Amino acid sequence: MGTAMLACPYCGQGVEAPTTESARVGGVRRRLKQEYRLTRNTCPECGHEYDVRRA
């Protein structure tokens, strides 16, 4: 398991998102379809959900 440093698309707060070692992160989006989503996370600052896009 690895981590990627990302910015919340709602508030801009820097957050760490868990990823697999072989996964390539393609960015962060507010909503993605299941086939494009790597993980779904919740921002600890503003509480909104965001999706990490698979590259």
Side-chain angles (χ1 to χ4, degrees):
M1 218 38 177
T3 58
M5 191 63 180
L6 307 167
C8 173
Y10 294 94
C11 68
Q13 174 71 26
V15 293
E16 290 185 6
T19 62
T20 60
E21 291 295 330
S22 62
R24 292 190 53 196
V25 174
V28 178
R29 302 287 188 273
R30 294 181 182 202
R31 287 282 179 196
L32 286 172
K33 292 182 179 178
Q34 180 69 33
E35 60 265 21
Y36 302 116
R37 181 185 323 139
L38 187 60
T39 61
R40 175 166 284 166
N41 300 305
T42 303
C43 178
E45 185 68 27
C46 67
H48 285 97
E49 288 186 338
Y50 61 89
D51 296 337
V52 177
R53 181 176 164 77
R54 179 183 329 238

